[in-house]
Amino acid sequence: MKFYSFWRSLASFRVRIALNLKNVPHEVVFVDIDKSEHRSNDYADINPQMALPALVLDDDKVLTQSLAILEYLEETISVPKLLPEDTVGRARVRALAAMVAGDMHPLIVPRVQRYLTEELKLAPEQKTAWLRHWAGESLRALEARLVRERETGRFAHGDNPTFADICMVGLVTFATAQGIDLAPYPTTLRIFKTAMALPAFAAAHPLAQPDTPAAMRKT
């Protein structure tokens, strides 16, 4: 498999975690969004949406959209399971994942940020306020559910990582980068720390990637 990734991409972060957890052999192809490499003809041939990530299977079929890729990996590689056995549990995990990947993330992706600054001419502090607002909205909603619902355990659902945790760690990582105070979200922060203590999560962190700028890279 070939996995097209960018270090700062939260969607790529999600897929990196799943690939690590399921121990999937793959080749990583780095696509530098800051240099607009995702807009090249070569990458557009792979993913006409020109968004990351993309996963090219051994038979050259192309998968896009991080949640769809997670579903594919879950359906084709049975261990470890990243969705609960019961239907209600699976629905809950998918909902928690979608709160981040479907509701919040589309509002803060680079193309939206560029539109805010290049087309709408927002000042840097206005763009920052936009990003913090939507990350904060997502954190508040997620914390409320995690606190009140009995299915929450060591992780967002029970005692093993699921799609929900894979998505949630990206939200917390982004919030941290934006200087958001996480003290009001103790359950979310606890689960984040539990997940990031796992090697599969830690190795997938944006600051631990080979294409991360050297000055920012975690060792």
Side-chain angles (χ1 to χ4, degrees):
M1 295 184 186
K2 286 187 177 181
F3 173 51
Y4 289 79
S5 174
F6 179 58
W7 69 274
R8 203 176 60 239
S9 161
L10 298 182
S12 297
F13 186 13
R14 293 193 278 270
V15 176
R16 284 196 296 266
I17 295 169
L19 291 169
N20 290 347
L21 285 169
K22 291 183 177 285
N23 197 27
V24 180
H26 61 281
E27 173 190 349
V28 181
V29 181
F30 301 111
V31 180
D32 192 333
I33 289 178
D34 291 337
K35 295 180 180 178
S36 296
E37 290 178 356
H38 60 304
R39 296 183 177 277
S40 70
N41 290 335
D42 287 345
Y43 187 68
D45 287 341
I46 295 166
N47 182 4
Q49 190 182 14
M50 295 181 286
L52 291 167
L55 185 67
V56 181
L57 307 182
D58 292 337
D59 61 2
D60 291 332
K61 288 187 171 63
V62 179
L63 305 181
T64 62
Q65 293 294 328
S66 61
L67 291 184
I69 295 172
L70 262 59
E71 292 279 1
Y72 168 82
L73 294 173
E74 182 71 359
E75 291 176 5
T76 57
I77 303 169
S78 59
V79 178
K81 291 188 178 299
L82 300 178
L83 287 172
E85 294 284 357
D86 63 297
T87 54
V88 174
R90 290 197 297 274
R92 178 178 184 265
V93 166
R94 287 182 171 115
L96 293 173
M99 287 171 66
V100 177
D103 289 344
M104 186 281 293
H105 186 215
L107 296 169
I108 57 91
V109 293
R111 63 181 177 273
V112 169
Q113 295 190 42
R114 282 195 298 271
Y115 186 81
L116 293 174
T117 55
E118 295 174 9
E119 299 297 328
L120 300 184
K121 307 301 181 184
L122 265 62
E125 60 272 18
Q126 291 176 304
K127 186 185 81 169
T128 297
W130 169 279
L131 300 176
R132 288 177 175 172
H133 171 78
W134 293 115
E137 287 284 302
S138 189
L139 284 166
R140 282 189 287 275
L142 193 61
E143 179 74 13
R145 288 200 62 173
L146 293 173
V147 167
R148 79 183 187 192
E149 295 175 359
R150 60 183 177 81
E151 294 88 352
T152 303
R154 289 183 63 240
F155 292 91
H157 189 92
D159 295 329
N160 295 295
T162 65
F163 288 7
D165 307 283
I166 289 172
C167 292
M168 186 183 71
V169 295
L171 167 61
V172 176
T173 299
F174 178 79
T176 301
Q178 293 299 316
I180 294 174
D181 180 13
L182 297 174
Y185 318 109
T187 307
T188 302
L189 184 58
R190 171 185 64 78
I191 294 170
F192 170 79
K193 290 178 178 178
T194 301
M196 293 308 299
L198 299 177
F201 279 75
H205 192 280
L207 298 185
Q209 303 315 301
D211 61 328
T212 305
M216 303 174 65
R217 191 176 304 141
K218 286 183 177 181
T219 56

